[in-house]
Amino acid sequence: MRTGSYAATVGAMEQQKRLDIIANNIANANSPGYKKDGVLFSNFLDQASYTNKTQGAVRETGNKSDIALFGKGYLKVQSDRGILYTRAGNLTIDSSKNLVTQEGWPVLGKNGPIKIENSANMRIEDNGQVFDENTLTDTLDIVEFPADAGLKKVLGSYFEPTASGVTATASEGCTVRQGSLESANFNPVEEMVQMVDTMRNFEAYQKTMQIFDRDLDAQLIAKLTG
């Protein structure tokens, strides 16, 4: 009896974890460059979270400060916690004329933060070159990582290497499209279907736990009154 109750409890915990991850994915359905998270379970409570890093669909926005990346590659960003990497291309120009993320973090070029004096005439070429009118300001520092190097998500659409000492290298095949954004790489409807299925499984485990608890209570009462 105790084994069955324990198995039902573990099953409910697993479904709760899945629900949390699915809910977070759905909450970020409109976040540019967001990569879907998932979780795998083995040996009861042993779990492994993972991020699906496949390319998301690209949509045109017409906004000159929006960029989408095609192929393997990440923008290099100077964040409050050090260098981070992202594919979220909904950029803007701050009051200091720096090209920054929505968090206000400078997007790095080959020579450091990129300054744009005239944002209305900013032009970004497929190779990442950034022009302020007709003047080449810098080139986006787009990087990639070795195939065996792990990346962990530290914020919504930001990553950092899982191990210290991992070196990013210049991306060879990644291209840039100005006036476009990469969407989250999952179908929100499919995530909603998974959420409903997971909630049903969670409820089923809860009912099973209640049945075991009632049976255990009945056995205890029988022993006390027998």
Side-chain angles (χ1 to χ4, degrees):
M1 186 69 69
R2 290 181 179 178
T3 301
S5 178
Y6 176 74
T9 301
V10 171
M13 293 172 64
E14 290 179 352
Q15 299 308 310
Q16 181 63 63
K17 178 64 175 179
R18 285 196 174 95
L19 279 174
D20 292 342
I21 289 177
I22 293 171
N24 186 63
N25 287 337
I26 293 173
N28 285 279
N30 295 319
S31 299
Y34 181 83
K35 302 304 177 186
K36 174 183 175 178
D37 289 325
V39 62
L40 297 173
F41 291 95
S42 62
N43 299 325
F44 290 101
L45 289 179
D46 288 343
Q47 65 181 52
S49 299
Y50 65 91
T51 301
N52 181 341
K53 300 186 181 70
T54 57
Q55 174 95 38
V58 173
R59 59 183 176 87
E60 293 187 8
T61 65
N63 188 336
K64 290 190 175 183
S65 60
D66 287 342
I67 60 172
L69 302 182
F70 284 86
K72 295 180 180 179
Y74 295 87
L75 296 173
K76 196 173 178 180
V77 174
Q78 180 64 62
S79 78
D80 294 341
R81 56 180 291 162
I83 300 296
L84 295 179
Y85 305 89
T86 186
R87 290 179 65 91
N90 52 332
L91 310 179
T92 187
I93 309 296
D94 68 8
S95 59
S96 299
K97 306 295 185 181
N98 290 315
L99 184 64
V100 298
T101 66
Q102 291 295 308
E103 293 76 16
W105 297 335
V107 177
L108 299 180
K110 300 293 186 181
N111 300 311
I114 301 172
K115 285 193 172 291
I116 302 293
E117 296 296 331
N118 190 345
S119 59
N121 293 318
M122 179 177 67
R123 187 173 84 256
I124 303 177
E125 298 293 334
D126 291 353
N127 60 5
Q129 289 183 331
V130 182
F131 288 84
D132 191 344
E133 295 194 58
N134 294 319
T135 303
L136 176 61
T137 299
D138 205 340
T139 300
L140 292 168
D141 193 7
I142 302 173
V143 300
E144 61 182 74
F145 294 87
D148 59 348
L151 291 179
K152 62 181 178 181
K153 190 180 290 184
V154 292
L155 294 168
S157 296
Y158 293 88
F159 296 86
E160 66 182 8
T162 54
S164 59
V166 175
T167 303
T169 58
S171 180
E172 297 294 333
C174 190
T175 58
V176 180
R177 180 184 294 176
Q178 185 179 17
S180 299
L181 287 175
E182 179 184 1
S183 301
N185 66 341
F186 63 89
N187 185 325
V189 175
E190 293 178 355
E191 287 295 293
M192 288 295 295
V193 171
Q194 289 187 27
M195 172 173 278
V196 171
D197 288 342
T198 304
M199 288 179 66
R200 288 173 177 167
N201 290 336
F202 177 72
E203 291 169 355
Y205 280 119
Q206 281 192 317
K207 290 178 180 178
T208 302
M209 291 164 57
Q210 292 170 0
I211 292 172
F212 278 120
D213 288 342
R214 286 197 299 267
D215 288 347
L216 182 59
D217 289 343
Q219 290 178 18
L220 290 174
I221 293 173
K223 287 183 178 179
L224 293 173
T225 58

